[in-house]
Amino acid sequence: MILDFMELAKANTFVGSKAYVLAMMAQENLPVPAGMVLSHFPEADPDWEKIHLWWSQQKLAPLAVRSSAFGEDSEDMSFAGQNQTFLNVATPEALREAVSACFQSIHRENSQSYRQFFLGEKTEVPMNVVLQVMVKARYAGVYFSVNPTRAEAGAVLEYIEGLGEALVSGQVNPFRVHKNETQALEGPLSREILDSIFALGEAVEKKLGQQIDMEWAVDDAGRVSLLQARPITVAHSEQKQTAILEEELRRIEASFGEDTWWDGQTFAEWTGQPSRLTFEVWKRAFAPGGAFDAALHELGYLGFSEKAYSPHDTIMERLFGRAFINMSKMVPLYFGPIPYRIDPEPRPHLKFEWHKVSATGIIHIPTSVSRMLRVGWNMSTNRRSWIEKSRKELVDFKHKLQRPGNGSVYREWDQADLINQWQKEVANFSRLSLKWPLVLVVLIEATHQSLRAVLSSVVGKDETDPYLQRWMGAGLQTATFEMGRYFGRALEEPLKREFFFSRFGHRGPGELDLSHPRWEELGDAAFGGGRARTSGPHATIDVEAEIHTLKTFKDSVLVEEWRLLKELLELREQWKMEILRPYAHIRYLSLEIGKRLGLGNDIFALTVEEIEALSFNMSLFPELKVKIRQRKAELDAYKGVYLPDVLKKKEMASCLKQNDLTTSTLMGVPLSHGIVKGTVYVVTDPSEVDFSTWPEDAILVAPSTDPGWTALFTRSKGVIVERGGILSHCAILARELGVPSINLPRATQVLKTGDRIWLDGHHGGVKNVTVP
């Protein structure tokens, strides 16, 4: 189809928003330069004859040749700069080349990547091309119905001298004028011409029935021309995101009691929001019969049961895209129907509640009290036996759950075997693999609190944290530190990388999320460019000898508690090293299944049940693709929401409000001692870091980290995270590497890449270097 703007029927929306809007506005007698639409590349001579006839009617004026892909310049996607545009086309040969290039631009990598991000697939969409007479622009600009960055009321326009291409490409800073502005106007255009542009924008907005941005030009005679109009994508996106956030808040309000609270420390190492598949796999671990249930039974707690007072579903819940444990459901899992709740402040503790007293609770009091006493006694006296048992289980785990080095073997498997193995891996991980790591988490917390209490009684509250940080930095030898040491060697000597991948290739940045690649997948790209930060040998101290210098009658208790904590922390890292081997194979299997089902990486946006259903019924594909797009939109809306580790339902609404976070001095929680000055580099996805832009004095700022961030740790002078305490992997690795580190809530919102700051790992402070 090759039609003049005045010939295009209203039903022909397939020509793309750009061509369609221009044609419709031309037919409304608005000042649109003459143009025509090509829905296919003109192969036949009659097609080119029709184009040249139209062009001759325009006195062979120079043309603008632009793409108009289906969906381009819509309310959801602008496709800004993704497809080709050619200006001042003046010869038949140049016209043919420009038209051909515009049609071919749909195949360009940047255009495909844009469609992949916004549409969830690279599937080609219909391409059309617009030919339009060029305006000899003295001034050109853009009109917005509202401010597109904040969707605030009041039309605004920006313009420059000459062609508008320099404006929309960001090459030139524009003049900006607000409608009804009473102060002296910025720029050379008169009030009369500006008013005519505002009036044209309002006319287009009225005819389209929605807020717009409009490209326009003014020629030497002062005539205003409409060059392009489209819905404001950012304003529409903001409205959609607000609706998503409000819907999630309504869901939470309707689903949970007023006193509900959640804890997110268990998932402090997850960077941002876990993919849907990741969440679903872990959610099963915290459901009846899962690994957490088994860990509770191992420690002597009640666990899940069929009784009415017990939770009958997972206690892991998704709030604004992030994973939390519902602590309001925990008491019956510990001790049954007792009239207590867990109060989160100042530290989680049991609190008696009269309104929970019931006949059932009274009947169970003797059993519950007996269980409390038995668990407390075992926590004090039985930790050594649990450590030994955990070590033996780790040996068995290594033997029973051996896997191939990577996922290439699955390419040869048939579909049934592939799905069956994937289901087994998911079940094993959520029911078996996580049991002992979760046991160790509970024992570590209990031992840490016991050691802290005894040490505080000896050295005082203010000195307790410095002692503990030093001991856990120089008194530990973890598997994570060993991995970091080998990473540094492989970074400096490429010949050692094959050995590194053979031992640690199953790990990687953001490794707890199945959607993130492992090191063996990244290959040499895992090491980036440049060199690691120079650091000395791992400092070690004799913690037990230092304890004896305190000259206290409690030294034997301190020594024993320290030994237990040290063994538990080192054992936790060993378990993590091993459980991530089969966990990586859930990813490898998912990738192969996703490839065969036509999903690619979008498979990680589906649940276990959805993948199982699709593998047996491909007719579900269109429905699930819609779900995937919806979930991506939800995750995008949730990105700006900061949630604290301890989250109360009654404080939930305040999480959606953006507070004023600008300040010259910020205080957080120290994780690793030291004071450094450097340049902030904010990272939310370590796999997307460009090491060519990495500063020599970088201070890494991230939502959270895991041992897979080693490549960034070795290049950083300091580390700031939003989540994770002094027992987290981030804190331990930072101390082992001698890198100052703190926990600072909202750090990724407060600090920006390029900021120059002082980082105080002793007191937890951050100060701008420009502040005296």
Side-chain angles (χ1 to χ4, degrees), residues 8 43 48 51 108 110 137 168 197 228 278 297 307 331-332 390 400 471 551 604 611 621-622 646 663-664 684 706 725:
L8 187 70
E43 299 283 359
W48 282 110
I51 293 170
R108 293 198 309 171
N110 59 338
V168 297
I197 297 169
Q228 184 173 319
T278 301
H297 285 116
K307 303 292 184 181
V331 168
S390 177
K400 293 178 181 177
W471 293 353
K551 299 189 182 303
F604 299 110
I611 294 169
F621 189 87
V646 175
T663 180
S664 60
T684 56
D706 57 47

Side-chain angles (χ1 to χ4, degrees), residues 228-249:
Q228 184 173 319
R230 61 190 174 211
I232 296 181
T233 54
V234 175
H236 181 74
S237 177
E238 272 201 2
Q239 293 166 1
K240 287 176 64 176
Q241 290 186 358
T242 298
I244 290 171
L245 295 177
E246 291 175 348
E247 176 61 30
E248 174 69 349
L249 187 59

Side-chain angles (χ1 to χ4, degrees), residues 142-157 176 178 198 205 210-213 231-236 238-239:
V142 182
Y143 162 97
F144 299 98
S145 299
V146 295
N147 187 324
T149 61
R150 295 187 295 276
E152 62 187 15
V156 62
L157 59 85
R176 170 174 284 203
H178 291 268
F198 280 115
E205 183 177 349
Q210 58 192 130
Q211 296 171 335
I212 63 162
D213 74 58
I232 296 181
T233 54
V234 175
H236 181 74
E238 272 201 2
Q239 293 166 1

Side-chain angles (χ1 to χ4, degrees), residues 608-751:
V608 173
E609 292 81 4
E610 288 167 345
I611 294 169
E612 290 173 336
L614 182 62
S615 66
F616 294 106
N617 183 7
M618 284 300 293
S619 67
L620 297 172
F621 189 87
E623 174 188 338
L624 292 179
K625 289 295 285 186
V626 172
K627 278 190 176 183
I628 288 169
R629 285 197 291 271
Q630 291 173 339
R631 287 168 181 170
K632 287 183 176 181
E634 289 172 358
L635 290 181
D636 191 50
Y638 298 151
K639 282 180 181 177
V641 179
Y642 171 79
L643 299 177
D645 286 334
V646 175
L647 183 62
K648 301 178 183 177
K649 183 197 168 185
K650 51 188 161 187
E651 299 174 356
M652 188 76 72
S654 64
C655 294
L656 302 185
K657 298 177 182 177
Q658 295 297 319
N659 300 321
D660 181 11
L661 301 171
T662 57
T663 180
S664 60
T665 303
L666 301 160
M667 292 303 296
V669 177
L671 301 177
S672 178
H673 282 181
I675 299 177
V676 293
K677 180 173 71 173
T679 303
V680 167
Y681 200 107
V682 179
V683 178
T684 56
D685 185 346
S687 66
E688 296 180 355
V689 170
D690 179 4
F691 284 108
S692 67
T693 65
W694 193 261
E696 288 292 325
D697 60 347
I699 294 178
L700 170 64
V701 177
S704 59
T705 67
D706 57 47
W709 289 58
T710 300
L712 302 185
F713 270 69
T714 59
R715 291 173 167 85
S716 302
K717 292 184 66 176
V719 177
I720 301 174
V721 292
E722 295 177 331
R723 306 178 73 183
I726 66 170
L727 296 179
S728 67
H729 298 276
C730 165
I732 291 174
L733 183 58
R735 289 191 293 266
E736 289 180 326
L737 293 174
V739 177
S741 179
I742 69 169
N743 175 311
L744 180 66
R746 298 181 182 270
T748 58
Q749 296 175 356
V750 180
L751 301 170

Side-chain angles (χ1 to χ4, degrees), residues 488-631:
R489 292 177 180 175
L491 174 62
E492 299 295 336
E493 302 177 56
L495 291 177
K496 294 185 176 180
R497 293 178 182 179
E498 185 176 349
F499 175 76
F500 174 82
F501 289 135
S502 70
R503 289 193 61 180
F504 307 109
H506 63 290
R507 305 194 67 169
E511 60 195 2
L512 295 185
D513 196 320
L514 291 167
S515 67
H516 287 194
R518 313 293 116 163
W519 272 327
E520 67 91 12
E521 296 175 74
L522 295 173
D524 287 342
F527 300 93
R531 299 173 62 87
R533 177 184 60 86
T534 302
S535 60
H538 178 45
T540 59
I541 61 172
D542 188 337
V543 175
E544 293 182 23
E546 184 169 310
I547 290 173
H548 291 310
T549 65
L550 297 176
K551 299 189 182 303
T552 171
F553 68 92
K554 299 178 181 180
D555 65 348
S556 61
V557 178
L558 282 172
V559 167
E560 180 59 18
E561 292 299 317
W562 163 249
R563 286 175 178 171
L564 289 168
L565 182 60
K566 179 179 184 294
E567 290 181 55
L568 287 166
L569 287 169
E570 292 175 349
L571 190 54
R572 180 189 70 175
E573 297 301 296
Q574 293 170 24
W575 264 102
K576 185 173 184 181
M577 183 69 71
E578 296 308 320
I579 66 171
L580 287 176
R581 296 184 194 278
Y583 189 64
H585 281 262
I586 299 179
R587 169 176 167 79
Y588 301 148
L589 287 158
S590 299
L591 286 172
E592 184 62 29
I593 294 169
K595 179 181 177 182
R596 298 187 188 189
L597 296 181
L599 288 168
N601 285 343
D602 280 348
I603 192 170
F604 299 110
L606 297 179
T607 67
V608 173
E609 292 81 4
E610 288 167 345
I611 294 169
E612 290 173 336
L614 182 62
S615 66
F616 294 106
N617 183 7
M618 284 300 293
S619 67
L620 297 172
F621 189 87
E623 174 188 338
L624 292 179
K625 289 295 285 186
V626 172
K627 278 190 176 183
I628 288 169
R629 285 197 291 271
Q630 291 173 339
R631 287 168 181 170

